[in-house]
Amino acid sequence: MAMEVTQVLLNAQSIDGAVRKNAEDSLKQFQEQNLPVFLVSLSGELANEEKPVETRKLAGLVLKNALDAKEQHRKFELVQRWLSLDGNAKSQIKACLLTTLTSPVSDARSTASQVIAKVAGIELPHKQWPELIGSLLSNVHQLPAQAKQATLETLGYLCEEVSPDVIDQDQVNKILTAVVQGMSSSEGNTDVRLAATRALYNALGFAQANFSNDMERDYIMRVVCEATLCPEVRIRQAAFECLVSISSTYYEKLAPYIQDIFNITAKAVREDEEPVALQAIEFWSSICDEEIDILEEYGGDFTGDSDIPCFYFIKQALPALVPMLLETLLKQEEDQDQDEGAWNIAMAGGTCLGLVARTVGDDIVPLVVPFIEENISKPDWRQREAATYAFGSILEGPSPEKLIPLVNVALTFMLSALTKDPNSHVKDTTAWTLGRIFEFLHGSVVDSPIISQANCQQIITVLLQSMKDTPNVAEKACGALYFLAQGYEEMGPSSPLTPFFQEIVQSLLTVTHREDAGESRLRTAAYETLNEVVRCSTDETAPLVLQLVPVIMMELHNTLEGQKLSSDEREKQSELQGLLCGCLQVIIQKLGASEPTKYVFMQYADQIMGLFLRVFACRSATVHEEAMLAIGALAYATGADFAKYMPEFYRYLEMGLQNFEEYQVCAVTVGVVGDISRALEEKIVPYCDGIMTQLLKNLSSNQLHRSVKPPIFSCFGDIALAVGEYFEKYLMWAMSALQSAAELSTHIAGDDELVEYTNSLRNGILEAYSGIFQGFKNSPKTQLLIPYAPHILQFLDGIYMEKDMDDVVMKTAIGVLGDLADTLGSHAGSMIQQSVSSKDFLNECLSSEDLMIKESAEWAKLAISRAISV
């Protein structure tokens, strides 16, 4: 039943665009007209040794894309489509795939491996293709070596595709046996050993039972450690990757091996090639991550709820681990600061050192200080840079008491190095370290300030001077200024930065206009810092912030005057517009926060809104996210006057709500609908039909990312609160959507990520109920809500009984109980008295240590007692 596809597949790779397009269209058409024949033909092409390698590879790729997609909803459709495919066709395809594993052509084998895993990922959970693993395992004992290699690769991909509960333990044991045998030093073929080592990496998640058995675990660990000594570098790297994975998956099983692992990793870090050394450092970073998590869960008093004990591997290894990491800092690369994605031994070592500092705190300081003192003034730039990097790396973790004396000595030295050191690397790292000093040791958290009236001027002069340096140094200087400003945020009515405000703002604007501001994220950093300086400014500088408004407006205006742009220029333009809209958003929030400045600012509101609308008009299909956020801030500041912008703005609002592809844009737009509802109140009524229709449509779509659903429910609450009893026409639809979501959210058991999502979903639902009840309060139509009360109380019972709500949900939930009593009065009183858990829930909230929860509960108690006494 197969068709000839070779020529079409060749054409699909043609240099000639028209030929290529034609071929792609005919493949698409073939797929739509006769899927079974299409897929069988592709698998035949992949399996046919007489066909050219590039068509075989492409045939496999097209086949793989017919089984899997990135978007959840599309993936689901493809899975269903495969499951309902004709059985004969499926058997033919699978047979072709399995025979390809023994092909002499490595590209064909590798492609077949991936496709087999995709099919297995669909079929094994449905108890189909039960013979697959058996037939793969029988291949492993066959020669030639290339068939063995391809089969191990397939087993690795398969473990990546399916979840551990799909394969029974007996088969897991056989897979692990085959893989570990393939890894052992007795295996003569390098490709087989490499495939086996990579397969183990994917199979580790299946090995829970095996790691609980001492003998099996010892055997696996021995083989992995032996593989780290293999002559082939790719195998050593893959073996260390396995160790890194074991360190997080089986942390609590590592104690017997940790000394040997230290010796192996230390040797690799000092002597091996970079890709191997990087993984060896990563092992210790991973152990730090585990111990930081465990110790955080313990809390300071070791009575916390971590299931795993902390073995203090890092603390024990400190005397040997820290010197090893300090040595790596001297292996910098000449141009690492210019290259954004750079990652090398020195950077990995510094990152690990930072994690060690967070794991052990004060204990690291005496081990690092001698290295800093010895190297900080050396003639070789590598030693000066390494010393500075070591200092910057240990600033988070140890106590301020331990660090501040050091910082007080170092600060003057570093400010001088930032201006005078002849080497750009040293300056880059010095500016980064200053930023870390200001981030962790400056501000209201620290008792003894490191910045005084005396050195404040010097710090600012040096940082502004450094903003003229090369882009990478200037970007770090912006970062340091960012944290400097942030630290003064809580400092009361006057800030030491006030006298320098004008100069700082001017310098930052100058940076944004540098020719080379596109390098090292410099322009973005300058705007982020400008925003922080504005956000943390005090009333004294408000007139200067006002002067900034027309300046930024002019900049935004200039981006709109562009001629016909290439797609690359358009992307840059859009990014710059994003930065400028973000800046205006912060300015609007700042000036809108106090009446006098808000009054003066309002003279610009029409022009600013006009600019935002022009930013929207620049783009055909998508809505500009930062402009949308800035409009939300403007609506909040202008209040009911915002109504005059609605006729023009509404279509962009609708466009944003319909943007399922870029779901962040959709979520931001939903938030802005909330802002506008609060600003306009009943003036939003003319737009409600369109908005509510779109929001209900979004909720019922399976194509919209789930993270947008909680804010949509909150938005119902905002709208109901704004329009009051007018919400009656949407009540039935909204309540029905809320009810089904509420039922869904009370029976979710799952991982932490799911629990977090469930809590945000519940919070959204509760905010909707709260807005609806408050909106209908004192209206003759409150009785419309009575039929929904039992369900809401049941929902509150459900989430109380499940005991996994976070503080935010708790506060909203007790608030809803109060709203119910407050709005429905005596109608609610008896229902609340009869409800299963209301009383316990109320008492628990009344005795909460969280003041917000306690306040909500006090209010709810009052409302309930009024409702009951009526």
Side-chain angles (χ1 to χ4, degrees):
M1 68 190 257
M3 303 256 297
E4 181 62 44
V5 284
T6 313
Q7 194 53 53
V8 188
L9 290 167
L10 280 172
N11 291 352
Q13 304 176 61
S14 160
I15 313 163
D16 181 339
V19 176
R20 201 168 57 239
K21 171 94 176 68
N22 207 346
E24 284 164 4
D25 289 347
S26 49
L27 283 172
K28 199 172 165 198
Q29 202 180 347
F30 184 7
Q31 177 167 1
E32 283 161 8
Q33 283 168 356
N34 196 336
L35 185 70
V37 175
F38 177 69
L39 297 177
V40 169
S41 309
L42 290 171
S43 63
E45 184 79 17
L46 175 61
N48 189 335
E49 295 301 337
E50 280 151 25
K51 297 294 184 185
V53 60
E54 54 271 17
T55 65
R56 296 177 68 181
K57 219 173 131 176
L58 183 59
L61 192 66
V62 176
L63 191 53
K64 186 174 129 200
N65 291 340
L67 298 167
D68 193 20
K70 276 201 175 67
E71 296 83 30
Q72 276 316 112
H73 65 96
R74 179 77 187 125
K75 186 177 180 144
F76 179 74
E77 284 165 16
L78 293 175
V79 168
Q80 295 310 320
R81 188 176 81 170
W82 172 263
L83 289 170
S84 58
L85 200 67
D86 166 67
N88 276 337
K90 280 195 284 205
S91 307
Q92 260 180 287
I93 293 166
K94 293 192 259 189
C96 285
L97 290 170
L98 288 170
T99 48
T100 313
L101 289 182
T102 58
S103 165
V105 180
S106 72
D107 274 345
R109 291 198 302 273
S110 179
T111 308
S113 292
Q114 294 172 43
V115 183
I116 290 171
K118 291 289 177 201
V119 175
I122 296 174
E123 295 205 350
L124 294 181
H126 288 90
K127 302 279 181 274
Q128 299 174 10
W129 212 0
E131 70 282 7
L132 168 67
I133 292 174
S135 62
L136 288 173
L137 289 168
S138 65
N139 263 2
V140 174
H141 306 297
Q142 308 271 330
L143 293 162
Q146 61 211 37
K148 208 167 173 179
Q149 174 261 333
T151 304
L152 287 163
E153 194 178 334
T154 309
L155 287 168
Y157 287 137
L158 186 135
C159 292
E160 204 176 5
E161 283 297 326
V162 302
S163 65
D165 51 1
V166 170
I167 301 179
D168 62 60
Q169 189 56 44
D170 179 46
Q171 287 198 310
V172 171
N173 294 343
K174 286 179 179 159
I175 292 174
L176 284 169
T177 305
V179 167
V180 175
Q181 274 172 357
M183 279 177 73
S184 72
S185 42
S186 58
E187 171 55 64
N189 183 297
T190 307
D191 291 338
V192 171
R193 256 191 107 174
L194 180 61
T197 312
R198 287 180 177 160
L200 179 68
Y201 179 84
N202 286 328
L204 283 167
F206 292 73
Q208 296 288 350
N210 313 82
F211 263 80
S212 304
N213 173 320
D214 294 354
M215 257 174 65
E216 294 182 28
R217 184 179 64 245
D218 285 346
Y219 179 51
I220 296 172
M221 292 299 291
R222 197 185 76 227
V223 172
V224 174
C225 289
E226 275 172 12
T228 64
L229 308 171
C230 170
E232 166 58 49
V233 62
R234 291 173 306 163
I235 293 176
R236 295 200 299 279
Q237 182 185 345
F240 273 113
E241 283 169 6
C242 289
L243 279 179
V244 173
S245 175
I246 289 168
S247 69
S248 60
T249 316
Y250 301 109
Y251 167 85
E252 72 284 5
K253 301 272 192 273
L254 280 175
Y257 316 103
I258 202 80
Q259 185 59 54
D260 289 338
I261 294 176
F262 180 80
N263 298 338
I264 297 169
T265 49
K267 188 171 160 47
V269 171
R270 293 196 167 107
E271 298 165 19
D272 212 327
E273 293 177 44
E274 184 173 86
V276 182
L278 286 174
Q279 289 303 321
I281 296 170
E282 186 59 36
F283 174 85
W284 292 101
S285 293
S286 172
I287 294 283
C288 289
D289 286 333
E290 290 304 307
E291 298 198 341
I292 289 168
D293 282 351
I294 293 169
L295 294 171
E296 266 177 11
E297 283 184 23
Y298 275 162
D301 52 0
F302 300 104
T303 55
D305 54 359
S306 175
D307 315 335
I308 300 177
C310 184
F311 288 97
Y312 298 101
F313 292 138
I314 299 295
K315 204 175 175 134
Q316 289 158 20
L318 269 189
L321 182 60
V322 172
M324 169 182 97
L325 293 172
L326 291 170
E327 263 175 55
T328 65
L329 302 185
L330 295 158
K331 298 184 178 174
Q332 309 95 325
E333 281 171 13
E334 287 293 344
D335 53 355
Q336 65 184 41
D337 300 329
Q338 273 71 32
D339 173 11
E340 290 227 345
W343 186 245
N344 56 44
I345 293 188
M347 295 166 87
T351 303
C352 187
L353 194 64
L355 288 166
V356 171
R358 286 177 52 201
T359 312
V360 301
D362 289 359
D363 294 351
I364 197 170
V365 178
L367 293 168
V368 176
V369 169
F371 178 84
I372 301 172
E373 288 170 344
E374 188 187 334
N375 291 293
I376 196 83
S377 305
K378 283 280 170 45
D380 178 359
W381 73 265
R382 288 179 183 278
Q383 290 172 286
R384 297 198 304 280
E385 195 275 339
T388 314
Y389 192 13
F391 185 39
S393 298
I394 61 165
L395 291 169
E396 183 187 8
S399 61
E401 295 72 42
K402 191 87 175 166
L403 292 171
I404 284 176
L406 293 175
V407 169
N408 285 332
V409 176
L411 200 54
T412 323
F413 181 90
M414 302 200 94
L415 291 169
S416 135
L418 186 51
T419 44
K420 301 202 179 78
D421 200 290
N423 181 275
S424 169
H425 279 280
V426 177
K427 288 199 254 189
D428 181 300
T429 306
T430 304
W432 173 77
T433 300
L434 284 168
R436 305 235 327 153
I437 290 173
F438 301 148
E439 181 178 2
F440 298 114
L441 297 170
H442 153 62
S444 51
V445 282
V446 184
D447 298 333
S448 46
I450 48 173
I451 301 173
S452 57
Q453 210 48 55
N455 64 7
C456 187
Q457 166 125 35
Q458 187 200 0
I459 290 171
I460 287 167
T461 309
V462 167
L463 290 178
L464 298 189
Q465 183 59 41
S466 295
M467 284 184 205
K468 302 181 180 129
D469 211 315
T470 56
N472 54 303
V473 175
E475 188 263 337
K476 305 280 194 312
C478 288
L481 187 56
Y482 177 99
F483 289 115
L484 183 67
Q486 198 177 65
Y488 284 125
E489 188 185 359
E490 313 286 312
M491 294 279 185
S494 81
S495 156
L497 296 186
T498 300
F500 311 105
F501 187 83
Q502 186 77 26
E503 198 186 341
I504 290 172
V505 168
Q506 202 40 61
S507 299
L508 286 164
L509 288 171
T510 308
V511 171
T512 65
H513 291 142
R514 281 176 53 159
E515 287 290 313
D516 53 5
E519 295 168 36
S520 297
R521 277 188 74 259
L522 177 55
R523 184 176 287 114
T524 306
Y527 278 115
E528 283 170 354
T529 304
L530 177 59
N531 295 350
E532 200 60 13
V533 168
V534 168
R535 204 177 61 75
C536 301
S537 62
T538 59
D539 292 344
E540 297 174 276
T541 47
L544 298 172
V545 177
L546 266 167
Q547 285 172 25
L548 193 55
V549 178
V551 177
I552 303 290
M553 280 169 62
M554 195 62 213
E555 301 263 327
L556 185 54
H557 173 80
N558 293 339
T559 67
L560 295 161
E561 294 301 293
Q563 285 63 48
K564 285 271 175 280
L565 299 175
S566 70
S567 66
D568 194 30
E569 288 169 327
R570 182 166 303 117
E571 200 170 312
K572 287 198 175 119
Q573 173 205 38
S574 179
E575 197 178 320
L576 180 56
Q577 287 170 348
L579 294 169
L580 292 163
C581 290
C583 185
L584 283 169
Q585 182 193 347
V586 172
I587 293 173
I588 294 167
Q589 284 164 334
K590 187 75 194 172
L591 296 173
S594 78
E595 283 307 318
T597 51
K598 182 154 101 176
Y599 179 73
V600 187
F601 165 75
M602 277 312 146
Q603 59 177 333
Y604 296 113
D606 289 1
Q607 286 167 282
I608 288 187
M609 188 64 190
L611 284 170
F612 291 154
L613 290 169
R614 286 182 62 194
V615 170
F616 283 139
C618 279
R619 321 207 13 193
S620 47
T622 56
V623 168
H624 200 291
E625 193 173 341
E626 287 81 4
M628 190 56 89
L629 283 164
I631 286 176
L634 188 65
Y636 184 78
T638 46
D641 289 346
F642 189 82
K644 63 181 174 187
Y645 306 127
M646 281 302 286
E648 240 192 301
F649 171 54
Y650 178 71
R651 61 173 226 236
Y652 297 112
L653 197 63
E654 202 161 54
M655 212 195 270
L657 293 177
Q658 288 163 354
N659 193 342
F660 288 3
E661 290 304 305
E662 301 172 289
Y663 64 88
Q664 292 90 338
V665 175
C666 189
V668 162
T669 311
V670 170
V672 171
V673 171
D675 294 334
I676 293 174
S677 308
R678 283 188 286 276
L680 294 183
E681 296 186 318
E682 67 287 345
K683 286 188 180 172
I684 199 171
V685 166
Y687 304 97
C688 275
D689 282 4
I691 291 173
M692 284 299 296
T693 306
Q694 193 54 51
L695 290 177
L696 287 162
K697 209 186 236 166
N698 285 14
L699 283 175
S700 63
S701 157
N702 64 352
Q703 293 181 18
L704 183 61
H705 195 275
R706 68 177 191 183
S707 64
V708 189
K709 300 199 171 174
I712 289 178
F713 288 127
S714 311
C715 192
F716 283 177
D718 294 327
I719 294 171
L721 202 53
V723 301
E725 61 178 50
Y726 181 80
F727 196 77
E728 178 194 348
K729 67 189 281 195
Y730 316 116
L731 191 61
M732 196 174 92
W733 308 106
M735 283 300 201
S736 131
L738 284 162
Q739 267 178 10
S740 55
E743 277 156 24
L744 207 76
S745 83
T746 40
H747 305 295
I748 298 187
D751 53 10
D752 296 347
E753 201 181 310
L754 199 62
V755 168
E756 200 177 307
Y757 173 70
T758 306
N759 272 316
S760 85
L761 185 62
R762 290 172 181 172
N763 194 55
I765 294 167
L766 292 163
E767 284 183 343
Y769 285 144
S770 178
I772 291 170
F773 274 86
Q774 288 176 36
F776 275 86
K777 194 187 169 185
N778 300 334
S779 127
K781 296 189 174 169
T782 43
Q783 76 280 359
L784 291 172
L785 299 176
I786 297 171
Y788 301 108
H791 177 270
I792 294 173
L793 286 167
Q794 204 183 330
F795 176 50
L796 291 171
D797 284 338
I799 50 181
Y800 177 68
M801 298 301 189
E802 284 201 20
K803 294 286 181 233
D804 58 358
M805 56 176 145
D806 58 22
D807 289 352
V808 181
V809 175
M810 203 164 189
K811 178 187 165 302
T812 325
I814 198 65
V816 167
L817 193 63
D819 290 327
L820 202 72
D822 191 36
T823 300
L824 297 181
S826 58
H827 296 297
S830 55
M831 283 194 255
I832 291 174
Q833 276 177 305
Q834 287 159 16
S835 97
V836 190
S837 62
S838 294
K839 197 169 175 185
D840 297 343
F841 183 34
L842 185 63
N843 289 333
E844 196 173 306
C845 292
L846 286 168
S847 57
S848 167
E849 287 173 12
D850 185 312
L851 285 177
M852 308 275 280
I853 294 178
K854 208 172 171 156
E855 270 177 36
S856 290
E858 304 276 355
W859 176 80
K861 182 181 176 184
L862 199 71
I864 293 169
S865 59
R866 277 204 303 263
I868 290 172
S869 64
V870 172

